[in-house]
Amino acid sequence: MSEDLTPELAATIAEAFNRRDRDNMQPTIDFFEDLLTKHPGNPYVLYEVGGAYDTDGQEEKALPYYEQALPGLTGDTRRRCLLQYGSTLRILERYDESLEVFKAASKEFPESDSLRVFKSLTLHDAGRPSKALATLLLLIADRLDTPELKRYEAAIRGNADHLANLEP
């Protein structure tokens, strides 16, 4: 039975995350693996173990942790896990699965700009550069509120629509 994310566990996770060294992830991996033995099945700890392996370039090892964590995660941690899971699938060249994750995640978190950015990376890597660019153009049109861009918003959206329809 997994447990909730208590304030104490959240503080422990945050402290370990802040101490991590992206150039030497083994201490972080070891810390989170040990934490998982103390909190077996906890989705928040599972997510952090997956993230540590992922950051270390061990994507195959990260996947099952993400998959186990996702059903128990909520809110922003769930969004981050979905993003990292979809990105990991992309790195492993499992593009269709990655796109499915991003499609579902975008429905669940429609205001997430980061999901749209990472979806565009999957589209690009999957050989669909026009759809990738269209995704980014729509993000720009939706989020950058400058007089100059607002003047050309219709053109930006029209180009995005055109590009999106060039590829399946």
Side-chain angles (χ1 to χ4, degrees):
M1 183 81 180
S2 69
E3 59 190 81
D4 291 329
L5 183 62
T6 64
E8 296 80 16
L9 183 57
T12 300
I13 289 171
E15 183 181 327
F17 186 83
N18 290 333
R19 282 194 325 255
R20 75 182 175 151
D21 176 357
R22 287 169 104 30
D23 294 325
N24 180 15
M25 285 299 294
Q26 195 59 52
T28 302
I29 291 168
D30 294 343
F31 177 85
F32 282 123
E33 285 278 15
D34 182 60
L35 191 61
L36 187 58
T37 66
K38 296 171 184 161
H39 302 273
N42 184 291
Y44 295 90
V45 180
L46 286 163
Y47 162 66
E48 295 297 342
V49 174
Y53 279 118
D54 199 358
T55 301
D56 195 45
Q58 298 184 61
E59 288 84 6
E60 287 284 354
K61 276 191 161 182
L63 277 183
Y65 289 102
Y66 290 152
E67 290 165 350
Q68 291 173 59
L70 276 166
L73 296 175
T74 59
D76 194 54
T77 305
R78 180 171 170 78
R79 182 196 55 77
R80 289 192 320 263
C81 189
L82 286 165
L83 185 147
Q84 289 171 222
Y85 180 53
S87 181
T88 297
L89 290 168
R90 172 184 59 87
I91 290 167
L92 294 172
E93 299 181 5
R94 293 166 58 179
Y95 304 126
D96 289 341
E97 292 170 79
S98 176
L99 287 171
E100 284 302 314
V101 168
F102 285 121
K103 181 179 176 182
S106 293
K107 284 183 182 175
E108 190 172 340
F109 300 97
E111 294 301 312
S112 175
D113 297 336
S114 60
L115 285 169
R116 293 166 76 181
V117 169
F118 279 83
K119 177 184 177 186
S120 74
L121 291 169
T122 297
L123 288 165
H124 181 270
D125 287 358
R128 298 165 68 188
S130 295
K131 281 199 182 288
L133 181 56
T135 300
L136 292 176
L137 285 173
L138 288 175
L139 178 62
I140 289 167
D142 290 346
R143 296 291 190 237
L144 291 181
D145 188 11
T146 67
E148 183 179 2
L149 284 175
K150 286 300 175 190
R151 177 181 176 97
Y152 298 104
E153 182 177 355
I156 292 168
R157 291 184 185 284
N159 278 288
D161 185 55
H162 170 74
L163 288 167
N165 289 308
L166 291 177
E167 299 164 350

Short mmCIF file of all heavy atoms in Angstrom, two decimals, residues 74-128:
data_model
loop_
_atom_site.label_atom_id
_atom_site.label_comp_id
_atom_site.label_asym_id
_atom_site.label_seq_id
_atom_site.Cartn_x
_atom_site.Cartn_y
_atom_site.Cartn_z
N THR A 74 -0.79 12.92 -8.51
CA THR A 74 -1.80 13.94 -8.81
C THR A 74 -1.09 15.27 -9.03
O THR A 74 0.09 15.44 -8.71
CB THR A 74 -2.79 14.11 -7.63
OG1 THR A 74 -2.06 14.47 -6.46
CG2 THR A 74 -3.57 12.83 -7.38
N GLY A 75 -1.83 16.21 -9.57
CA GLY A 75 -1.37 17.59 -9.70
C GLY A 75 -0.10 17.75 -10.50
O GLY A 75 0.15 17.04 -11.48
N ASP A 76 0.71 18.71 -10.06
CA ASP A 76 1.91 19.07 -10.79
C ASP A 76 2.92 17.93 -10.87
O ASP A 76 3.61 17.79 -11.89
CB ASP A 76 2.57 20.31 -10.16
CG ASP A 76 3.61 20.91 -11.08
OD1 ASP A 76 3.28 21.20 -12.25
OD2 ASP A 76 4.77 21.05 -10.64
N THR A 77 2.98 17.10 -9.86
CA THR A 77 3.91 15.96 -9.92
C THR A 77 3.47 15.00 -11.01
O THR A 77 4.30 14.46 -11.74
CB THR A 77 4.00 15.24 -8.56
OG1 THR A 77 4.36 16.20 -7.56
CG2 THR A 77 5.05 14.14 -8.59
N ARG A 78 2.19 14.78 -11.15
CA ARG A 78 1.69 13.93 -12.23
C ARG A 78 2.04 14.53 -13.60
O ARG A 78 2.48 13.82 -14.49
CB ARG A 78 0.18 13.72 -12.10
CG ARG A 78 -0.39 12.85 -13.20
CD ARG A 78 -1.84 12.47 -12.93
NE ARG A 78 -2.44 11.84 -14.09
CZ ARG A 78 -2.25 10.59 -14.46
NH1 ARG A 78 -1.48 9.81 -13.73
NH2 ARG A 78 -2.84 10.10 -15.54
N ARG A 79 1.85 15.84 -13.75
CA ARG A 79 2.18 16.49 -15.02
C ARG A 79 3.66 16.31 -15.34
O ARG A 79 4.02 15.96 -16.45
CB ARG A 79 1.83 17.98 -14.97
CG ARG A 79 2.12 18.71 -16.30
CD ARG A 79 2.15 20.22 -16.13
NE ARG A 79 3.07 20.66 -15.11
CZ ARG A 79 4.41 20.74 -15.25
NH1 ARG A 79 4.99 20.37 -16.36
NH2 ARG A 79 5.17 21.18 -14.27
N ARG A 80 4.53 16.52 -14.35
CA ARG A 80 5.97 16.37 -14.57
C ARG A 80 6.33 14.93 -14.93
O ARG A 80 7.15 14.69 -15.81
CB ARG A 80 6.75 16.83 -13.34
CG ARG A 80 6.72 18.33 -13.13
CD ARG A 80 7.72 18.82 -12.09
NE ARG A 80 7.87 17.99 -10.92
CZ ARG A 80 7.26 18.17 -9.75
NH1 ARG A 80 6.43 19.19 -9.60
NH2 ARG A 80 7.45 17.36 -8.74
N CYS A 81 5.69 13.98 -14.26
CA CYS A 81 5.96 12.58 -14.55
C CYS A 81 5.52 12.22 -15.97
O CYS A 81 6.23 11.52 -16.69
CB CYS A 81 5.29 11.67 -13.52
SG CYS A 81 5.79 9.94 -13.66
N LEU A 82 4.35 12.69 -16.36
CA LEU A 82 3.89 12.44 -17.74
C LEU A 82 4.86 13.03 -18.75
O LEU A 82 5.18 12.40 -19.76
CB LEU A 82 2.48 13.01 -17.93
CG LEU A 82 1.36 12.22 -17.28
CD1 LEU A 82 0.08 13.06 -17.22
CD2 LEU A 82 1.12 10.91 -18.03
N LEU A 83 5.32 14.24 -18.49
CA LEU A 83 6.28 14.88 -19.39
C LEU A 83 7.57 14.06 -19.49
O LEU A 83 8.06 13.76 -20.57
CB LEU A 83 6.59 16.30 -18.94
CG LEU A 83 7.48 17.09 -19.89
CD1 LEU A 83 7.12 18.55 -19.86
CD2 LEU A 83 8.95 16.92 -19.58
N GLN A 84 8.10 13.67 -18.34
CA GLN A 84 9.35 12.92 -18.33
C GLN A 84 9.17 11.53 -18.95
O GLN A 84 10.05 11.05 -19.65
CB GLN A 84 9.90 12.84 -16.90
CG GLN A 84 10.40 14.19 -16.42
CD GLN A 84 10.74 14.22 -14.96
OE1 GLN A 84 10.43 15.19 -14.28
NE2 GLN A 84 11.37 13.19 -14.43
N TYR A 85 8.03 10.90 -18.70
CA TYR A 85 7.73 9.60 -19.27
C TYR A 85 7.66 9.72 -20.80
O TYR A 85 8.29 8.94 -21.52
CB TYR A 85 6.43 9.07 -18.68
CG TYR A 85 6.00 7.73 -19.18
CD1 TYR A 85 6.85 6.63 -19.15
CD2 TYR A 85 4.71 7.53 -19.66
CE1 TYR A 85 6.44 5.38 -19.60
CE2 TYR A 85 4.28 6.29 -20.10
CZ TYR A 85 5.15 5.22 -20.07
OH TYR A 85 4.73 3.98 -20.51
N GLY A 86 6.91 10.70 -21.30
CA GLY A 86 6.81 10.89 -22.74
C GLY A 86 8.14 11.22 -23.37
O GLY A 86 8.48 10.74 -24.46
N SER A 87 8.94 12.03 -22.70
CA SER A 87 10.26 12.39 -23.20
C SER A 87 11.18 11.18 -23.23
O SER A 87 11.97 10.99 -24.17
CB SER A 87 10.86 13.50 -22.34
OG SER A 87 12.12 13.87 -22.82
N THR A 88 11.10 10.34 -22.20
CA THR A 88 11.92 9.14 -22.15
C THR A 88 11.55 8.19 -23.28
O THR A 88 12.42 7.60 -23.94
CB THR A 88 11.78 8.45 -20.77
OG1 THR A 88 12.26 9.36 -19.79
CG2 THR A 88 12.57 7.17 -20.70
N LEU A 89 10.26 8.03 -23.53
CA LEU A 89 9.83 7.22 -24.67
C LEU A 89 10.40 7.77 -25.98
O LEU A 89 10.84 7.02 -26.86
CB LEU A 89 8.30 7.16 -24.73
CG LEU A 89 7.63 6.34 -23.62
CD1 LEU A 89 6.13 6.61 -23.60
CD2 LEU A 89 7.92 4.85 -23.79
N ARG A 90 10.43 9.09 -26.11
CA ARG A 90 11.00 9.72 -27.31
C ARG A 90 12.48 9.37 -27.44
O ARG A 90 12.93 8.98 -28.51
CB ARG A 90 10.83 11.24 -27.25
CG ARG A 90 11.58 11.98 -28.38
CD ARG A 90 11.47 13.49 -28.24
NE ARG A 90 11.98 14.02 -27.00
CZ ARG A 90 13.26 14.37 -26.80
NH1 ARG A 90 14.16 14.22 -27.74
NH2 ARG A 90 13.64 14.88 -25.64
N ILE A 91 13.22 9.51 -26.37
CA ILE A 91 14.65 9.22 -26.41
C ILE A 91 14.89 7.77 -26.79
O ILE A 91 15.86 7.45 -27.50
CB ILE A 91 15.30 9.57 -25.05
CG1 ILE A 91 15.31 11.09 -24.88
CG2 ILE A 91 16.72 9.01 -24.94
CD1 ILE A 91 15.63 11.57 -23.49
N LEU A 92 13.98 6.87 -26.38
CA LEU A 92 14.10 5.46 -26.73
C LEU A 92 13.52 5.15 -28.11
O LEU A 92 13.39 3.99 -28.49
CB LEU A 92 13.41 4.61 -25.65
CG LEU A 92 14.07 4.66 -24.27
CD1 LEU A 92 13.21 3.97 -23.23
CD2 LEU A 92 15.47 4.07 -24.32
N GLU A 93 13.17 6.21 -28.84
CA GLU A 93 12.63 6.13 -30.21
C GLU A 93 11.30 5.40 -30.28
O GLU A 93 10.95 4.80 -31.29
CB GLU A 93 13.65 5.51 -31.16
CG GLU A 93 14.93 6.35 -31.25
CD GLU A 93 15.96 5.79 -32.21
OE1 GLU A 93 15.69 4.79 -32.91
OE2 GLU A 93 17.06 6.38 -32.26
N ARG A 94 10.53 5.48 -29.22
CA ARG A 94 9.18 4.92 -29.18
C ARG A 94 8.20 6.08 -29.39
O ARG A 94 7.46 6.48 -28.51
CB ARG A 94 8.97 4.19 -27.86
CG ARG A 94 9.86 2.95 -27.77
CD ARG A 94 9.98 2.35 -26.40
NE ARG A 94 8.70 1.95 -25.80
CZ ARG A 94 8.62 1.38 -24.60
NH1 ARG A 94 9.69 1.11 -23.90
NH2 ARG A 94 7.43 1.08 -24.11
N TYR A 95 8.28 6.63 -30.61
CA TYR A 95 7.61 7.90 -30.92
C TYR A 95 6.09 7.84 -30.81
O TYR A 95 5.47 8.76 -30.29
CB TYR A 95 8.01 8.39 -32.30
CG TYR A 95 9.50 8.54 -32.47
CD1 TYR A 95 10.17 7.91 -33.50
CD2 TYR A 95 10.25 9.30 -31.57
CE1 TYR A 95 11.55 8.05 -33.65
CE2 TYR A 95 11.63 9.43 -31.70
CZ TYR A 95 12.27 8.80 -32.76
OH TYR A 95 13.62 8.93 -32.90
N ASP A 96 5.47 6.77 -31.31
CA ASP A 96 4.01 6.69 -31.25
C ASP A 96 3.53 6.67 -29.80
O ASP A 96 2.56 7.35 -29.46
CB ASP A 96 3.51 5.45 -32.00
CG ASP A 96 3.68 5.57 -33.51
OD1 ASP A 96 3.84 6.71 -34.00
OD2 ASP A 96 3.65 4.52 -34.18
N GLU A 97 4.22 5.91 -28.96
CA GLU A 97 3.85 5.87 -27.54
C GLU A 97 4.07 7.23 -26.89
O GLU A 97 3.25 7.69 -26.09
CB GLU A 97 4.68 4.81 -26.80
CG GLU A 97 4.37 3.38 -27.21
CD GLU A 97 5.39 2.41 -26.63
OE1 GLU A 97 5.25 2.09 -25.43
OE2 GLU A 97 6.32 2.02 -27.37
N SER A 98 5.17 7.86 -27.23
CA SER A 98 5.45 9.19 -26.69
C SER A 98 4.35 10.17 -27.07
O SER A 98 3.86 10.92 -26.22
CB SER A 98 6.81 9.68 -27.21
OG SER A 98 7.07 11.00 -26.76
N LEU A 99 3.96 10.17 -28.33
CA LEU A 99 2.91 11.09 -28.78
C LEU A 99 1.59 10.80 -28.08
O LEU A 99 0.84 11.74 -27.74
CB LEU A 99 2.76 11.03 -30.29
CG LEU A 99 3.89 11.69 -31.07
CD1 LEU A 99 3.77 11.40 -32.55
CD2 LEU A 99 3.94 13.19 -30.81
N GLU A 100 1.29 9.53 -27.83
CA GLU A 100 0.06 9.19 -27.11
C GLU A 100 0.10 9.74 -25.68
O GLU A 100 -0.90 10.26 -25.18
CB GLU A 100 -0.16 7.67 -27.09
CG GLU A 100 -0.68 7.13 -28.42
CD GLU A 100 -1.98 7.76 -28.86
OE1 GLU A 100 -2.91 7.90 -28.03
OE2 GLU A 100 -2.07 8.15 -30.04
N VAL A 101 1.26 9.62 -25.03
CA VAL A 101 1.40 10.16 -23.68
C VAL A 101 1.18 11.67 -23.70
O VAL A 101 0.43 12.22 -22.88
CB VAL A 101 2.78 9.81 -23.08
CG1 VAL A 101 3.05 10.61 -21.81
CG2 VAL A 101 2.87 8.31 -22.81
N PHE A 102 1.82 12.36 -24.64
CA PHE A 102 1.69 13.82 -24.71
C PHE A 102 0.27 14.24 -25.07
O PHE A 102 -0.23 15.24 -24.55
CB PHE A 102 2.71 14.43 -25.67
CG PHE A 102 4.10 14.46 -25.09
CD1 PHE A 102 5.15 13.82 -25.71
CD2 PHE A 102 4.35 15.13 -23.90
CE1 PHE A 102 6.42 13.84 -25.16
CE2 PHE A 102 5.62 15.16 -23.33
CZ PHE A 102 6.66 14.50 -23.98
N LYS A 103 -0.39 13.48 -25.94
CA LYS A 103 -1.77 13.81 -26.30
C LYS A 103 -2.68 13.70 -25.08
O LYS A 103 -3.45 14.62 -24.78
CB LYS A 103 -2.24 12.85 -27.41
CG LYS A 103 -3.65 13.09 -27.88
CD LYS A 103 -4.01 12.11 -28.99
CE LYS A 103 -5.45 12.26 -29.41
NZ LYS A 103 -5.83 11.30 -30.44
N ALA A 104 -2.57 12.60 -24.34
CA ALA A 104 -3.40 12.42 -23.15
C ALA A 104 -3.03 13.44 -22.07
O ALA A 104 -3.91 14.00 -21.41
CB ALA A 104 -3.23 11.00 -22.61
N ALA A 105 -1.74 13.68 -21.89
CA ALA A 105 -1.30 14.63 -20.86
C ALA A 105 -1.78 16.04 -21.18
O ALA A 105 -2.17 16.79 -20.28
CB ALA A 105 0.22 14.60 -20.74
N SER A 106 -1.77 16.40 -22.46
CA SER A 106 -2.22 17.74 -22.85
C SER A 106 -3.72 17.92 -22.62
O SER A 106 -4.17 19.02 -22.33
CB SER A 106 -1.88 18.00 -24.32
OG SER A 106 -0.48 18.08 -24.46
N LYS A 107 -4.48 16.84 -22.73
CA LYS A 107 -5.91 16.92 -22.41
C LYS A 107 -6.11 17.09 -20.91
O LYS A 107 -6.99 17.82 -20.47
CB LYS A 107 -6.64 15.67 -22.89
CG LYS A 107 -6.88 15.63 -24.38
CD LYS A 107 -7.67 14.42 -24.79
CE LYS A 107 -7.84 14.42 -26.30
NZ LYS A 107 -8.50 13.21 -26.77
N GLU A 108 -5.27 16.39 -20.14
CA GLU A 108 -5.38 16.47 -18.68
C GLU A 108 -4.86 17.81 -18.14
O GLU A 108 -5.38 18.33 -17.16
CB GLU A 108 -4.57 15.32 -18.07
CG GLU A 108 -4.79 15.13 -16.60
CD GLU A 108 -4.12 13.87 -16.07
OE1 GLU A 108 -3.81 12.94 -16.85
OE2 GLU A 108 -3.90 13.82 -14.84
N PHE A 109 -3.83 18.34 -18.81
CA PHE A 109 -3.20 19.60 -18.38
C PHE A 109 -3.13 20.56 -19.58
O PHE A 109 -2.05 20.83 -20.10
CB PHE A 109 -1.80 19.32 -17.83
CG PHE A 109 -1.77 18.42 -16.64
CD1 PHE A 109 -1.52 17.06 -16.78
CD2 PHE A 109 -2.03 18.92 -15.36
CE1 PHE A 109 -1.52 16.22 -15.68
CE2 PHE A 109 -2.03 18.09 -14.27
CZ PHE A 109 -1.77 16.72 -14.42
N PRO A 110 -4.27 21.08 -20.02
CA PRO A 110 -4.28 21.88 -21.26
C PRO A 110 -3.48 23.18 -21.17
O PRO A 110 -3.11 23.72 -22.22
CB PRO A 110 -5.77 22.16 -21.47
CG PRO A 110 -6.42 21.97 -20.14
CD PRO A 110 -5.59 20.95 -19.42
N GLU A 111 -3.20 23.66 -19.99
CA GLU A 111 -2.45 24.92 -19.87
C GLU A 111 -0.94 24.71 -19.78
O GLU A 111 -0.19 25.67 -19.64
CB GLU A 111 -2.94 25.68 -18.62
CG GLU A 111 -4.37 26.15 -18.73
CD GLU A 111 -4.59 27.07 -19.92
OE1 GLU A 111 -3.79 28.02 -20.11
OE2 GLU A 111 -5.56 26.84 -20.67
N SER A 112 -0.48 23.47 -19.91
CA SER A 112 0.95 23.19 -19.75
C SER A 112 1.73 23.50 -21.03
O SER A 112 1.60 22.80 -22.03
CB SER A 112 1.18 21.72 -19.37
OG SER A 112 2.56 21.45 -19.34
N ASP A 113 2.54 24.52 -20.94
CA ASP A 113 3.41 24.88 -22.07
C ASP A 113 4.51 23.86 -22.25
O ASP A 113 4.90 23.54 -23.38
CB ASP A 113 4.02 26.26 -21.85
CG ASP A 113 2.97 27.36 -21.80
OD1 ASP A 113 1.87 27.17 -22.36
OD2 ASP A 113 3.25 28.40 -21.19
N SER A 114 5.05 23.33 -21.16
CA SER A 114 6.16 22.39 -21.27
C SER A 114 5.74 21.11 -21.99
O SER A 114 6.52 20.54 -22.76
CB SER A 114 6.76 22.08 -19.90
OG SER A 114 5.80 21.52 -19.04
N LEU A 115 4.52 20.65 -21.78
CA LEU A 115 4.05 19.47 -22.50
C LEU A 115 4.03 19.72 -24.00
O LEU A 115 4.42 18.86 -24.79
CB LEU A 115 2.65 19.06 -22.01
CG LEU A 115 2.58 18.39 -20.65
CD1 LEU A 115 1.14 18.28 -20.17
CD2 LEU A 115 3.25 17.02 -20.67
N ARG A 116 3.61 20.90 -24.40
CA ARG A 116 3.57 21.24 -25.82
C ARG A 116 4.98 21.30 -26.42
O ARG A 116 5.21 20.85 -27.54
CB ARG A 116 2.83 22.56 -26.02
CG ARG A 116 1.35 22.43 -25.66
CD ARG A 116 0.66 23.76 -25.52
NE ARG A 116 0.37 24.38 -26.79
CZ ARG A 116 -0.22 25.57 -26.91
NH1 ARG A 116 -0.58 26.24 -25.83
NH2 ARG A 116 -0.44 26.08 -28.10
N VAL A 117 5.91 21.85 -25.67
CA VAL A 117 7.30 21.93 -26.15
C VAL A 117 7.88 20.53 -26.35
O VAL A 117 8.47 20.23 -27.38
CB VAL A 117 8.17 22.76 -25.19
CG1 VAL A 117 9.65 22.62 -25.53
CG2 VAL A 117 7.75 24.23 -25.22
N PHE A 118 7.69 19.67 -25.35
CA PHE A 118 8.27 18.32 -25.46
C PHE A 118 7.53 17.47 -26.48
O PHE A 118 8.13 16.60 -27.12
CB PHE A 118 8.35 17.66 -24.09
CG PHE A 118 9.56 18.13 -23.32
CD1 PHE A 118 9.52 19.31 -22.60
CD2 PHE A 118 10.75 17.41 -23.35
CE1 PHE A 118 10.64 19.76 -21.91
CE2 PHE A 118 11.87 17.86 -22.67
CZ PHE A 118 11.82 19.04 -21.95
N LYS A 119 6.25 17.72 -26.68
CA LYS A 119 5.53 17.06 -27.76
C LYS A 119 6.14 17.45 -29.10
O LYS A 119 6.31 16.61 -29.99
CB LYS A 119 4.04 17.42 -27.74
CG LYS A 119 3.26 16.80 -28.88
CD LYS A 119 1.81 17.26 -28.87
CE LYS A 119 1.06 16.70 -30.05
NZ LYS A 119 -0.31 17.24 -30.14
N SER A 120 6.50 18.72 -29.25
CA SER A 120 7.10 19.16 -30.51
C SER A 120 8.44 18.46 -30.75
O SER A 120 8.78 18.15 -31.89
CB SER A 120 7.26 20.69 -30.55
OG SER A 120 8.30 21.11 -29.72
N LEU A 121 9.19 18.20 -29.68
CA LEU A 121 10.45 17.46 -29.83
C LEU A 121 10.19 16.05 -30.33
O LEU A 121 10.93 15.54 -31.20
CB LEU A 121 11.21 17.43 -28.51
CG LEU A 121 11.79 18.75 -28.04
CD1 LEU A 121 12.29 18.64 -26.60
CD2 LEU A 121 12.91 19.21 -28.96
N THR A 122 9.15 15.41 -29.81
CA THR A 122 8.80 14.07 -30.29
C THR A 122 8.39 14.11 -31.75
O THR A 122 8.83 13.28 -32.55
CB THR A 122 7.68 13.45 -29.43
OG1 THR A 122 8.14 13.30 -28.09
CG2 THR A 122 7.26 12.09 -29.97
N LEU A 123 7.56 15.08 -32.10
CA LEU A 123 7.16 15.20 -33.50
C LEU A 123 8.37 15.38 -34.42
O LEU A 123 8.48 14.74 -35.47
CB LEU A 123 6.19 16.37 -33.67
CG LEU A 123 4.79 16.15 -33.12
CD1 LEU A 123 4.04 17.47 -32.99
CD2 LEU A 123 4.02 15.16 -33.99
N HIS A 124 9.29 16.21 -34.01
CA HIS A 124 10.50 16.44 -34.80
C HIS A 124 11.30 15.15 -34.95
O HIS A 124 11.69 14.77 -36.04
CB HIS A 124 11.36 17.54 -34.16
CG HIS A 124 12.60 17.82 -34.94
ND1 HIS A 124 13.77 17.13 -34.70
CD2 HIS A 124 12.84 18.67 -35.95
CE1 HIS A 124 14.69 17.56 -35.54
NE2 HIS A 124 14.15 18.50 -36.30
N ASP A 125 11.56 14.49 -33.83
CA ASP A 125 12.35 13.26 -33.86
C ASP A 125 11.66 12.15 -34.64
O ASP A 125 12.32 11.26 -35.19
CB ASP A 125 12.67 12.79 -32.45
CG ASP A 125 13.71 13.65 -31.76
OD1 ASP A 125 14.23 14.61 -32.39
OD2 ASP A 125 14.01 13.38 -30.58
N ALA A 126 10.34 12.19 -34.69
CA ALA A 126 9.56 11.18 -35.42
C ALA A 126 9.50 11.49 -36.91
O ALA A 126 8.80 10.80 -37.65
CB ALA A 126 8.16 11.09 -34.84
N GLY A 127 10.22 12.51 -37.35
CA GLY A 127 10.24 12.85 -38.77
C GLY A 127 9.05 13.68 -39.21
O GLY A 127 8.68 13.65 -40.39
N ARG A 128 8.47 14.42 -38.29
CA ARG A 128 7.32 15.27 -38.60
C ARG A 128 7.65 16.72 -38.23
O ARG A 128 7.00 17.33 -37.38
CB ARG A 128 6.10 14.75 -37.87
CG ARG A 128 5.74 13.32 -38.33
CD ARG A 128 4.79 12.61 -37.42
NE ARG A 128 3.46 13.20 -37.44
CZ ARG A 128 2.50 12.83 -36.60
NH1 ARG A 128 2.70 11.89 -35.71
NH2 ARG A 128 1.33 13.41 -36.65
#
